[in-house]
Amino acid sequence: MTDAARPAHHADQPRHADERRRADLAGRLAAVRERIATAAVAAGRDPAELTLVAVSKTYPAEDAVILHTLGLRDFAENREQEAGPKVNLVTHQLLGGGAPRAGGPEAGAGAAADPAKAASTPGAGLAVPDRPVWHFVGQLQRNKARSVLRWADWVQSVDRAALVDGLSRAAVERGRPLSVCLQISLDPPRASSGADSSGVAVSGRGGIDPGAVSELADLVARAPGLTLRGVMAVAPRGESPRGAFARLRNVAERLVRDHPGATVISAGMSGDLESAIAEGATHLRIGTALFGERPGVP
């Protein structure tokens, strides 16, 4: 091989790697969609009722862009410090590339009420049906509320009253409502020392005690800039997920009696999505089955 030929050979390597990754993600997405459709039919449900949320934590922006081109629109992150730059990169790649705007996603994602703000908003240049919808699903610290709302459309992990005021103020400032799910602890009593004074289950995994849901729901529903959408939970370790998701369904049914618009049940991950669908899940948070294993990541 001549020296002149070598650069072209090496230049092809990234392109071939991109093609392999696209094929891998397309195959994984097809398999997940088939699992969802099969489980929905078995439960007597319409697969079209279900929203697949790709949990893209630790994976590069390029993976989210590929899945977006394959038709996915909902993506989730659980670490604010990783999510902000990633959302910015995804937005700019979907808009045709170019260097990300200095300052990243500080203006927030999606259409802003102020046209001047909209010009610097991640995703604002994309047609609304095409814009990615970003969910925050990690445990949220009070001092991170403003940072998370620079990019998040949803926060699915609200589990204490102390978070509500900060989220409300940040949502009002950005001029666009935030969709909120209450994170419910499904840990059995023996796995938890109960709940703290704000009703948060003390199990180290986040989530409000089911008995404290009503008060928190009322608080969110009254808060300016917040829209109460429903509940979210993670199946506890060492227990059948079906039984845990049945408990979540009971909580959701009680919630919707007082808040008819709060119909979302965000439950089910790669290993238990079938159980979640059987118990009424509307949003499925899928990571490993879509992206592959995450070595060394808890």
Side-chain angles (χ1 to χ4, degrees):
M1 178 180 294
T2 66
D3 289 341
R6 285 193 181 95
H9 170 76
H10 292 304
D12 281 344
Q13 289 179 341
R15 178 172 60 84
H16 291 156
D18 290 346
E19 290 172 353
R20 287 194 297 271
R21 183 55 172 164
R22 180 181 178 85
D24 178 44
L25 289 172
R28 290 177 176 276
L29 176 58
V32 169
R33 283 175 166 161
E34 180 61 27
R35 285 178 63 189
I36 291 171
T38 299
V41 171
R45 302 181 61 190
D46 181 355
E49 299 173 354
L50 304 175
T51 298
L52 173 57
V53 181
V55 182
S56 48
K57 66 178 184 180
T58 77
Y59 281 96
E62 289 76 12
D63 280 1
V65 171
I66 290 170
L67 285 173
H68 184 277
T69 66
L70 293 171
L72 274 189
R73 292 296 177 267
D74 288 79
F75 298 85
E77 294 285 330
N78 74 336
R79 293 173 177 148
E80 190 281 328
Q81 62 269 32
E82 174 190 353
K86 182 183 293 185
V87 172
N88 201 37
L89 284 170
V90 169
T91 298
H92 282 272
Q93 290 189 37
L94 291 175
L95 287 171
R101 181 181 60 83
E106 279 72 14
D114 184 344
K117 292 180 181 179
S120 60
T121 290
L126 296 169
V128 172
D130 293 331
R131 190 180 66 79
V133 176
W134 291 96
H135 302 247
F136 182 78
V137 297
Q139 288 188 268
L140 182 61
Q141 300 173 2
R142 291 176 63 184
N143 63 352
K144 294 293 185 180
R146 188 179 302 275
S147 296
V148 167
L149 262 70
R150 290 170 180 168
W151 57 269
D153 301 288
W154 291 61
V155 171
Q156 293 199 19
S157 50
V158 173
D159 61 0
R160 58 198 185 279
L163 296 174
V164 175
D165 183 60
L167 291 173
S168 175
R169 283 188 282 106
V172 170
E173 286 177 8
R174 76 178 185 179
R176 185 169 52 84
L178 175 73
S179 292
V180 168
C181 286
L182 308 183
Q183 182 176 352
I184 311 301
S185 173
L186 299 180
D187 289 328
R190 64 181 178 275
S192 168
S193 59
D196 68 13
S197 59
S198 64
V200 180
V202 186
S203 64
R205 304 183 67 197
I208 191 168
D209 185 270
V213 167
S214 179
E215 183 177 354
L216 182 59
D218 291 344
L219 186 63
V220 170
R222 291 194 301 265
L226 304 185
T227 301
L228 180 62
R229 300 299 298 271
V231 296
M232 181 271 269
V234 179
R237 301 182 179 97
E239 180 187 352
S240 164
R242 181 72 184 267
F245 292 144
R247 296 199 300 276
L248 179 64
R249 185 175 196 165
N250 288 336
V251 173
E253 289 172 349
R254 294 196 302 272
L255 175 65
V256 83
R257 286 198 291 267
D258 293 328
H259 300 278
T263 58
V264 167
I265 302 177
S266 177
M269 297 190 290
S270 296
D272 54 25
L273 67 86
E274 288 84 1
S275 294
I277 291 171
E279 293 298 336
T282 63
H283 288 59
L284 307 162
R285 307 182 310 276
I286 308 302
T288 301
L290 282 174
F291 294 96
E293 294 293 335
R294 296 180 172 92
V297 176

